[in-house]
Amino acid sequence: MTTEALRRWFFTVLYDYQNPLDQRRALALILFSVLAAVMALVALPFVISADIEFQGLVFQRAEFALLTIPVLAAVVHFLVQTGRLRTATLLTVAYGVLAALLIVRASGIMAPTLVSVLVPVVLAGLLLERTEVIVTTVLMSIATVVTAVVEVGTLVGALSGGLAVPFALLFLMSLLLIVFGADVSRIARQNIRDVERFRAVSGLAGQITRHVDEHSIYARTLELIRRDLGHSFAQVFLVDEQNQLTRRRRVGQDNIVSDIRLPQASGLIEAQTSGRPVLISYEDQTSRRSHFLPASAYGIAIPVHVDGAVVAVLDVQNDEEPFLESNLVLL
């Protein structure tokens, strides 16, 4: 293998991750795995000369435990380069948890040792979702507290013996990562998803020019709303010659068109008469949301304007998530 090929394999993400956030995380995991392997191999001679033994643990010798790091790094590297980023991420955090527990178990509860407890918490905060960060934090907190109680005798004794500050630091670091780290990840994913949705909507205009009949245009639009925009359900209500919403069109095997009679209090009629989008939810009166599917909790009715007149009302529904401002702009 040439030098260029080695550089690409060890320091470049070869798998084509479509999500830019996943692309950045993949590169971070590659660099982290390489760095961890190098540090483990550099530290190996010093650990061997120190002659450290772990009593009552799987690895009786410290160098044996240290040698598992390059092996893990190789596995993580392979998983990332073959598109299994989620598995690689969970494996990295899980190993960080096990390594921290091993250090605490072997060295006892001391302020320098507790620094190792922060490593898996930080890893989880940077790589995982909020729920998983909380689980990691709770696991590490329980492990350190139990070890402190076993070693010192009581939790009060452990705290008064100088462990109050490290425990407080662990709690504060975990809180910051849970509150801010997960939010940054969520916002980044939402922004990426919005860009993908805008791209899908922008491509609709070119497809509509190839479908001159009304049926094909509605069918393609409803398909895009469900498949590309990710909403639970979509249908369109058509305005008849008497300016009434009397027919609706759904996308199905037979592209269903059926007659419909709506109550005057319906949110769809409000959207038609006002000419503006109307938000509807499960908290509204039954007559206002009579067109909802049984599982739907939120909906939005959007009037379709042609030459200044409302010719239809687009009905979009979600099972769980309410409609955000970005949803309204897209629709």
Side-chain angles (χ1 to χ4, degrees), residues 51-122:
D51 194 24
I52 302 174
E53 291 189 3
F54 297 147
Q55 298 298 327
L57 298 179
V58 175
F59 296 105
Q60 299 295 321
R61 302 284 301 178
E63 55 266 27
F64 296 155
L66 197 62
L67 285 173
T68 62
I69 295 179
V71 176
L72 173 80
V75 173
V76 169
H77 196 94
F78 175 78
L79 291 173
V80 171
Q81 297 289 35
T82 54
R84 286 165 281 191
L85 180 61
R86 174 70 173 171
T87 304
T89 301
L90 293 176
L91 182 61
T92 301
V93 176
Y95 190 89
V97 171
L98 292 175
L101 294 178
L102 178 64
I103 294 173
V104 172
R105 172 67 176 82
S107 304
I109 292 294
M110 299 180 295
T113 302
L114 286 179
V115 175
S116 63
V117 177
L118 294 177
V119 175
V121 175
V122 172

Side-chain angles (χ1 to χ4, degrees), residues 272-292:
Q272 178 201 0
T273 55
S274 66
R276 298 190 303 271
V278 174
L279 291 172
I280 310 165
S281 78
Y282 66 95
E283 297 178 344
D284 294 332
Q285 294 182 354
T286 304
S287 57
R288 181 175 169 81
R289 53 180 173 84
S290 61
H291 59 287
F292 269 19

Side-chain angles (χ1 to χ4, degrees), residues 194-251:
D194 287 343
V195 171
E196 294 173 348
R197 290 174 173 177
F198 274 110
R199 186 180 296 116
V201 171
S202 64
L204 178 63
Q207 297 179 31
I208 285 180
T209 57
R210 298 192 295 270
H211 300 292
V212 294
D213 63 292
E214 179 182 349
H215 167 75
S216 298
I217 292 175
Y218 281 134
R220 180 67 188 95
T221 302
L222 295 178
E223 180 185 6
L224 180 140
I225 290 173
R226 297 191 62 179
R227 186 189 65 190
D228 298 322
L229 303 190
H231 296 296
S232 303
F233 180 71
Q235 57 187 349
V236 62
F237 289 80
L238 307 176
V239 178
D240 61 13
E241 293 78 4
Q242 286 74 39
N243 201 34
Q244 302 292 322
L245 292 175
T246 58
R247 293 175 66 78
R248 65 180 174 185
R249 184 187 299 273
R250 301 181 182 181
V251 175

